[in-house]
Amino acid sequence: MLRNTQTSFGWLSQALHWSMALLLSGLFVMGLYMTSLNYYDPWYHSLPWWHKSFGLLTFFLLLIRTIWTLLNSHPKSPSTHKTWEKNLARAMQKLFYALIFLIALSGYLFATAKGKGIEFFNGFVIPAPSQTIEENYVDLIANAHEIMAILLAILVVLHALAALKHHLIDKDQTLTRMLGNKPRI
Amino acid sequence: MKSILQKTLLSLSLTTLLFTSSYAIADDYLIDKEGTHASIQFKISHLGYSWLLGRFNDFDGRFSYDEKNPDKAKIEVNINTKSVDSNHAERDKHLRGSDFLDVKQFPDAKFVSTHYKENTDGTATLTGNFTLHGITKEIVINVTKVGAGNDPWGGYRRGFEGKTRIALKDYGITKDLGPASTELELLLNIEGIKQ
């Protein structure tokens, strides 16, 4: 089913969830790796280019996902979930969206600080803001980009561990709601 | 955006200049920062295939010069290192970082002349101490006198051109940019307004 149901996430929600999971993990590893390369590395220029293109793609998916989440009802939480778990899960979802948004925004701002736009693969160029940014702020924004990405990575690991805990220890449907589309009771 | 330290240094050097000029008759000039008729550029090889030019957008300084006694000329220039500009946002960020200028730790670069010797052909040799990346070394700048005279707005101006080479590793910048890029050329164009 396209839309979320009472018991499970629809295929679009699932596709957005897993593609962003893959993209964000890739971007994180790529970001750490590309900034460690030396000047003569063959990937010195290409990796940042891919990083920016995939970063933009992730941002576009986030916009679609935010709209889609607002248009859809959330599947009912399994009855085994305690109230604090539900509240925490909701807060985490908002925090994830906010963090991804801010990481993308900060990346965009410091890459375009001198007025040069960002290429989206070989398709089109996202223009830079009309205002250039002062050096102090550029460095601050760049540091924030990295710190927020590390924070997001930690939260993603906790998120995955929590999902596995629900699946393996509690044996509830928390994880399977996000996997496949079989109707569940 | 100037720190108190910079202001103090500037006022100290101003005081020094005032005192020294009370016995020397040399004219004092303030580098025309306001009108940016001065530039500090660097030129470094890119892979050995072409030249990359960048500059420092924010610096100030003064010099004194007496036509009757040119060898007494003095100059002092302070550079705000974070103003490094190679017209590329990510590269500039990299240049400000710890691989290169480390501007957080070393916000200022500075040149203070110790000796000036003028030749008869309008060129001169300027010796002085250049501090960059926290390291001070003596450098020699090849100077060409460009001109001097009244400007159309009631002032008096004097300008020089200077060139020198520095090795990055002399200033503790060890990031490997390849064998063609171990040194850079500093291209200095200085215009001062007589005070």
Side-chain angles (χ1 to χ4, degrees):
Chain A
M1 258 169 287
L2 171 68
R3 297 180 68 90
N4 296 351
T5 66
Q6 289 272 318
T7 52
S8 182
F9 289 98
W11 67 259
L12 185 56
S13 294
Q14 293 193 17
L16 286 165
H17 173 269
W18 291 108
S19 60
M20 283 180 74
L22 195 68
L23 280 167
L24 289 165
S25 311
L27 284 166
F28 182 68
V29 175
M30 205 191 258
L32 288 181
Y33 182 64
M34 71 185 198
T35 49
S36 74
L37 295 177
N38 74 57
Y39 194 56
Y40 276 66
D41 195 286
W43 289 355
Y44 187 83
H45 288 295
S46 55
L47 273 189
W49 184 85
W50 287 108
H51 185 84
K52 285 182 238 180
S53 289
F54 279 120
L56 282 171
L57 177 64
T58 310
F59 180 73
F60 297 145
L61 290 179
L62 177 72
L63 295 184
I64 295 168
R65 193 174 176 190
T66 306
I67 294 165
W68 189 244
T69 304
L70 291 173
L71 289 175
N72 273 263
S73 58
H74 202 271
K76 275 220 171 74
S77 301
S79 51
T80 48
H81 285 193
K82 297 175 193 76
T83 313
W84 69 265
E85 285 179 313
K86 289 182 206 166
N87 292 338
L88 184 63
R90 254 168 231 143
M92 278 291 268
Q93 188 191 18
K94 290 194 181 89
L95 183 60
F96 274 136
Y97 286 23
L99 264 180
I100 298 164
F101 177 80
L102 289 174
I103 292 167
L105 180 70
S106 57
Y108 165 77
L109 285 176
F110 86 82
T112 57
K114 278 259 156 78
K116 202 174 70 175
I118 301 180
E119 264 185 78
F120 180 64
F121 298 100
N122 284 315
F124 53 92
V125 175
I126 304 289
S130 56
Q131 199 79 17
T132 56
I133 303 172
E134 210 233 326
E135 307 88 21
N136 287 342
Y137 296 115
V138 175
D139 292 352
L140 199 70
I141 291 167
N143 284 340
H145 182 78
E146 191 177 348
I147 291 165
M148 288 189 296
I150 292 168
L151 179 63
L152 179 66
I154 294 168
L155 293 176
V156 165
V157 169
L158 291 176
H159 175 73
L161 287 176
L164 288 173
K165 182 251 179 196
H166 279 289
H167 189 71
L168 300 172
I169 297 173
D170 301 341
K171 300 196 191 303
D172 62 24
Q173 283 151 17
T174 311
L175 180 60
T176 49
R177 292 181 305 171
M178 206 30 117
L179 283 167
N181 224 343
K182 281 163 255 149
R184 290 169 204 287
I185 310 141
Chain B
M1 297 306 289
K2 218 176 272 173
S3 71
I4 296 166
L5 183 68
Q6 277 175 297
K7 277 183 184 157
T8 320
L9 280 173
L10 189 68
S11 52
L12 276 175
S13 53
L14 279 174
T15 325
T16 324
L17 276 165
L18 282 174
F19 275 109
T20 45
S21 58
S22 60
Y23 63 87
I25 354 135
D27 296 320
D28 288 333
Y29 294 82
L30 188 67
I31 291 176
D32 187 16
K33 179 189 177 181
E34 207 61 41
T36 53
H37 292 109
S39 63
I40 297 175
Q41 289 176 291
F42 55 87
K43 181 180 166 187
I44 187 163
S45 174
H46 184 228
L47 308 168
Y49 306 150
S50 71
W51 298 106
L52 177 118
L53 270 90
R55 63 185 191 194
F56 289 95
N57 289 331
D58 184 20
F59 59 93
D60 48 41
R62 324 188 118 243
F63 61 85
S64 66
Y65 187 87
D66 176 10
E67 269 180 9
K68 293 187 196 78
N69 200 358
D71 291 356
K72 282 270 191 307
K74 284 193 181 82
I75 183 164
E76 181 174 331
V77 178
N78 289 293
I79 303 169
N80 181 358
T81 52
K82 78 166 189 226
S83 72
V84 65
D85 182 0
S86 68
N87 197 24
H88 187 286
E90 285 114 321
R91 181 169 53 220
D92 293 347
K93 179 187 167 294
H94 197 188
L95 293 177
R96 288 193 297 272
S98 54
D99 275 345
F100 295 99
L101 295 168
D102 203 354
V103 304
K104 237 183 227 148
Q105 218 188 325
F106 309 109
D108 302 298
K110 187 179 189 174
F111 177 77
V112 183
S113 73
T114 50
H115 188 69
Y116 179 76
K117 180 82 190 124
E118 214 159 77
N119 307 317
T120 45
D121 62 352
T123 63
T125 308
L126 178 68
T127 310
N129 293 315
F130 183 48
T131 308
L132 179 72
H133 200 241
I135 294 171
T136 305
K137 290 233 180 249
E138 185 170 88
I139 58 168
V140 176
I141 301 175
N142 296 315
V143 175
T144 308
K145 295 200 310 180
V146 181
N150 293 320
D151 66 28
W153 318 287
Y156 188 90
R157 289 167 189 258
R158 179 178 295 279
F160 300 91
E161 190 181 355
K163 273 184 191 174
T164 188
R165 295 186 72 82
I166 60 168
L168 294 177
K169 68 164 170 36
D170 285 353
Y171 291 90
I173 298 168
T174 50
K175 176 79 182 172
D176 185 19
L177 293 171
S181 313
T182 57
E183 286 191 358
L184 60 77
E185 193 171 13
L186 282 171
L187 308 171
L188 315 159
N189 282 284
I190 300 297
E191 180 182 286
I193 308 173
K194 189 150 92 175
Q195 299 301 291

